[in-house]
Amino acid sequence: MDRDIFNLNVFTNVASPDPAHCLAQHAVRSFHEVFAAGTTRRIVTRVFIDANPHPQTLEAWKATIRDALPDLPFEFVATDGLIDGFARSLEICEGAYAMQLEHDFVFMKRRITHTLDEMLAWMGAHEVNYLRFNKRTNKPAVYDLALEPRGDADFPVCRVSGRSNNPHIIDMRYYREMVLPHLRRPDGSTCGLEGGMCRIVGGGYIYGSLGLPRTVDHLDGRMLRFKDAIRRNLYLARQKRTA
């Protein structure tokens, strides 16, 4: 694994027959706008895409992503669902660390005050294999009931008892050794990416101090949550104004 490479893995599926509902391009752009300028590493970007449930729209979905990112090199990788995509990313990544990013999350630049290199240096120094960016304020809530301030003044983090598939950086060596075997079991079963994985590898860390407001916005690709719909519409409107 090459420590001069960082992998950005974005996971999406053809969730609608209308490619205008595609959000993955925003996730890719957001990561590069927040993290690319301050890193010495070469960022290798892949979009892991499941054609279901609308395979007839796959090429239009891919064209939407491609047309929105003319200045950013990336490749598509075909998958059979999120777990398959996650497993494939662990198998093919070149770098020592990777960002695992679902298609409907974007980063909030004003609240992320450390560079990617600073984050990776801290993870390496403390043997941390999972660092998540929170979609809510850093306080005990939902699955983060056991949340404890850690780190120091230069790099504050919070220890959490569980793992979520919300945007997170992983140590590739650890995940290949400890997680991949449970995603590719001989009998075809899998541990899942959240609750099941927590029972196997335990908790991890959240970026930022206790009380830090959310560092990512959830645009909600399934369009189910009212609050996320407001954030999605506001975000997309800002993107149109700055285009």
Side-chain angles (χ1 to χ4, degrees):
M1 288 172 285
D2 192 334
R3 292 192 170 274
D4 293 325
I5 294 177
F6 183 87
N7 290 98
L8 168 61
N9 301 318
V10 176
F11 305 94
T12 190
N13 71 303
V14 185
S16 166
D18 183 359
H21 292 161
C22 181
L23 296 170
Q25 66 273 20
H26 300 295
V28 173
R29 176 70 66 187
S30 171
F31 173 89
H32 280 270
E33 288 179 347
V34 173
F35 294 107
T39 185
T40 59
R41 291 166 170 79
R42 179 167 68 91
I43 297 173
V44 175
T45 303
R46 292 188 176 95
V47 177
F48 294 80
I49 185 165
D50 174 12
N52 294 304
H54 300 284
Q56 73 278 7
T57 315
L58 174 62
E59 293 308 316
W61 202 267
K62 290 167 69 173
T64 298
I65 300 170
R66 192 183 297 111
D67 291 348
L69 303 169
D71 55 323
L72 293 177
F74 70 94
E75 65 174 294
F76 288 110
V77 179
T79 71
D80 184 21
L82 179 58
I83 291 177
D84 178 63
F86 197 103
R88 294 206 63 194
S89 76
L90 300 183
E91 292 167 340
I92 68 178
C93 280
E94 306 89 343
Y97 294 93
M99 171 70 77
Q100 307 293 86
L101 179 60
E102 290 195 47
H103 65 147
D104 54 356
F105 284 93
V106 291
F107 294 92
M108 305 184 73
K109 187 173 184 178
R110 68 185 183 276
R111 292 178 183 160
I112 299 175
T113 57
H114 298 84
T115 67
L116 179 63
D117 288 1
E118 289 172 327
M119 295 176 185
L120 300 183
W122 181 84
M123 291 178 70
H126 297 275
E127 299 183 342
V128 168
N129 57 69
Y130 172 95
L131 180 66
R132 188 176 96 221
F133 297 83
N134 210 350
K135 68 177 181 181
R136 61 178 65 86
T137 298
N138 286 353
K139 63 181 181 180
V142 193
Y143 298 112
D144 296 333
L145 293 178
L147 189 150
E148 178 185 356
R150 294 281 186 91
D152 53 39
D154 292 330
F155 195 85
V157 296
C158 293
R159 173 72 176 169
V160 288
S161 56
R163 300 193 183 205
S164 162
N165 203 42
N166 291 172
H168 58 285
I169 299 173
I170 61 172
D171 180 319
M172 190 58 61
R173 186 184 305 278
Y174 179 89
Y175 266 68
R176 279 181 178 161
E177 293 177 357
M178 301 301 296
V179 174
L180 183 56
H182 295 282
L183 301 179
R184 292 277 198 242
R185 289 171 176 165
D187 63 359
S189 65
T190 180
C191 70
L193 294 180
E194 296 189 310
M197 187 183 298
C198 294
R199 289 191 291 272
I200 294 169
V201 298
Y205 291 82
I206 289 177
Y207 171 80
S209 58
L210 189 67
L212 179 72
R214 68 184 187 278
T215 50
V216 293
D217 263 340
H218 185 209
L219 306 185
D220 186 15
R222 294 180 296 171
M223 301 185 181
L224 297 177
R225 301 176 181 87
F226 179 74
K227 287 184 179 179
D228 289 341
I230 295 174
R231 290 172 184 159
R232 178 175 64 251
N233 292 333
L234 289 173
Y235 179 84
L236 296 179
R238 287 196 300 269
Q239 294 301 104
K240 288 181 179 179
R241 289 197 300 269
T242 58

